[in-house]
């Protein structure tokens, strides 16, 4: 009887040990997956080089008309057009953050200590600075953990770093999504502009537009930018073309600050009655409020 009980106890102990080993294995596998997830996020890095610029695909489109109308919505005095610093590699996230901070420094001047980001007489933003704006970018570079896990930043590090910096200056940051399950929510974007809030945009390869307008002809130049990049939206533009009374075409654009020396700002076409636009460039976007 004692041997039977002893054998049952041994079998039970072995079974418990095997179950425990399986649980440890499963937990270990899940832990590894959890650790790997942040590294699978999309990275945004200012990796554009002279060689890459040479590969930009540029194309031209000409629209002719008898008359045109446009509606333009913009944050107050647009945004400051800061440019990435060469010594801060892969820094499109910190640069976008600096543009947002510079925008709100007009309302809360402690955001950039010892620096006034705008001209008091006009309210227009100063283009740049050689001391205080670089220091701001350096602080954001650190706060956003730029180049720590991989090149550039991911979305969460960018947003958390901006919040951390602003809180260190005694201010609060809130984010409102301009995304839907189907992609960009243009209505939410426009509402943010009308509420005087810049929008941080996380983009994959993007087509930027520039234009030249005459009385009867508009020439659009499209540049295909291949890199993942963080832009700052500050405008919304709708243009309608007519032949006589016939509105034959309507296009809609976002106006964005690019944070780069080659493109201070540009337009992203998000809708057109002349073609189907999928907006595959859009990954995510947030209207930013600092109070």
């Amino acid at each position: 009887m004692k041997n039977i009980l002893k054998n049952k106890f041994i079998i039970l102990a072995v079974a418990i040990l095997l179950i425990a080993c399986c649980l440890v294995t499963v937990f270990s596998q899940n832990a590894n997956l959890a650790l790997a997830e942040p590294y699978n996020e999309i990275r945004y890095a200012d990796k554009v080089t002279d060689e890459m610029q040479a590969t930009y695909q540029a194309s031209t489109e000409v629209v002719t008309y008898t008359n045109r109308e446009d509606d333009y919505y913009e944050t107050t005095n647009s945004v400051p057009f800061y440019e990435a610093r060469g010594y801060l590699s892969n820094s499109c996230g910190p640069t976008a953050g600096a543009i947002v901070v510079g925008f709100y420094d007009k309302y809360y001047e402690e955001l950039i200590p010892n620096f006034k980001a705008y001209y008091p007489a006009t309210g227009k933003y100063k283009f740049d600075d050689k001391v205080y704006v670089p220091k701001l970018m350096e602080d954001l570079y650190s706060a956003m953990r730029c180049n720590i896990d991989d090149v550039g930043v991911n979305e969460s590090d960018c947003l958390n770093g901006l919040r951390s910096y602003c809180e260190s200056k005694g201010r609060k940051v809130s984010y409102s999504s301009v995304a839907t399950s189907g992609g960009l929510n243009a209505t939410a974007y426009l509402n943010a502009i009308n509420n005087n809030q810049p929008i941080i945009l996380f983009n994959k390869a993007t087509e930027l537009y520039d234009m030249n307008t005459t009385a009867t002809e508009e020439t659009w130049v499209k540049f295909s930018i291949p890199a993942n990049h963080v832009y700052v939206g500050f405008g919304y533009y709708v243009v309608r073309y007519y032949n006589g009374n016939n509105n034959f075409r309507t296009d809609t654009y976002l106006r964005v600050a690019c944070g780069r020396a080659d493109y201070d700002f540009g337009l992203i076409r998000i809708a057109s009655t002349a073609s189907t636009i999928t907006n595959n460039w859009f990954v995510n976007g947030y209207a930013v409020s600092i109070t």
Side-chain angles (χ1 to χ4, degrees):
M1 184 70 176
K2 290 182 178 178
N3 289 336
I4 292 174
L5 291 174
K6 182 177 181 181
N7 289 338
K8 286 184 176 180
F9 176 78
I10 292 173
I11 292 171
L12 179 61
V14 170
I16 292 172
L17 181 62
L18 289 173
I19 291 171
C21 289
C22 290
L23 289 173
V24 169
T25 300
V26 170
F27 176 80
S28 176
Q29 290 175 343
N30 287 338
N32 289 335
L33 286 172
L35 289 173
E37 284 174 356
Y39 299 93
N40 290 332
E41 292 185 22
I42 297 174
R43 306 296 298 190
Y44 302 88
D46 191 25
K47 297 190 293 183
V48 177
T49 63
D50 291 339
E51 289 75 16
M52 289 180 68
Q53 287 184 11
T55 67
Y56 286 177
Q57 296 180 359
S59 59
T60 302
E61 178 186 12
V62 178
V63 182
T64 57
Y65 47 82
T66 59
N67 59 301
R68 66 187 291 284
E69 298 175 342
D70 58 53
D71 295 318
Y72 184 58
Y73 309 86
E74 184 179 271
T75 54
T76 304
N77 296 121
S78 65
V79 293
F81 298 123
Y82 300 154
E83 298 174 356
R85 262 49 189 184
Y87 65 90
L88 297 174
S89 62
N90 308 313
S91 61
C92 64
T95 303
I99 291 170
V100 172
V101 171
F103 175 84
Y104 278 105
D105 184 74
K106 179 161 64 173
Y107 308 99
Y108 309 108
E109 294 187 4
E110 65 272 23
L111 285 171
I112 310 179
N114 305 311
F115 178 69
K116 195 180 293 289
Y118 65 101
Y119 297 104
T122 63
K124 294 181 179 179
Y125 288 101
K126 296 176 182 178
F127 182 79
D128 213 330
D129 165 75
K130 294 185 178 180
V131 177
Y132 302 105
V133 172
K135 176 62 167 59
L136 166 64
M137 291 186 183
E138 292 165 7
D139 290 345
L140 288 169
Y141 196 89
S142 176
M144 291 182 181
R145 304 178 66 253
C146 195
N147 285 350
I148 297 298
D149 294 329
D150 201 345
V151 294
V153 297
N154 60 29
E155 180 183 311
S156 59
D157 280 343
C158 182
L159 298 177
N160 290 337
L162 176 58
R163 173 180 281 117
S164 175
Y165 175 87
C166 293
E167 288 179 347
S168 74
K169 306 303 179 186
R171 292 296 164 184
K172 294 182 179 180
V173 177
S174 61
Y175 300 113
S176 301
S177 175
V178 297
T180 66
S181 58
L184 173 69
N185 184 337
T187 300
Y189 178 99
L190 178 57
N191 286 341
I193 296 298
N194 288 333
N195 289 326
N196 201 34
Q197 296 176 347
I199 300 101
I200 292 181
L201 295 168
F202 296 94
N203 291 20
K204 292 186 289 188
T206 303
E207 294 176 343
L208 291 179
Y209 287 82
D210 196 5
M211 65 176 176
N212 180 52
T213 303
T214 69
T216 60
E217 183 177 279
E218 194 154 74
T219 301
W220 288 93
V221 180
K222 178 178 71 176
F223 297 91
S224 297
I225 310 299
N228 295 344
H229 195 71
V230 186
Y231 297 82
V232 177
F234 66 95
Y236 186 89
Y237 183 58
V238 180
V239 56
R240 294 177 293 276
Y241 302 101
Y242 295 84
N243 281 326
N245 293 323
N246 177 34
N247 173 206
F248 69 91
R249 175 170 174 168
T250 301
D251 294 343
T252 305
Y253 299 84
L254 310 183
R255 196 178 188 196
V256 298
C258 304
R260 288 169 36 180
D262 51 350
Y263 298 109
D264 290 332
F265 58 86
L267 293 163
I268 301 174
R269 185 181 291 168
I270 63 167
S272 175
T273 58
S275 61
T276 300
I277 297 176
T278 59
N279 293 323
N280 290 332
W281 55 270
F282 179 79
V283 177
N284 217 338
Y286 300 88
V288 184
S289 173
I290 299 178
T291 56

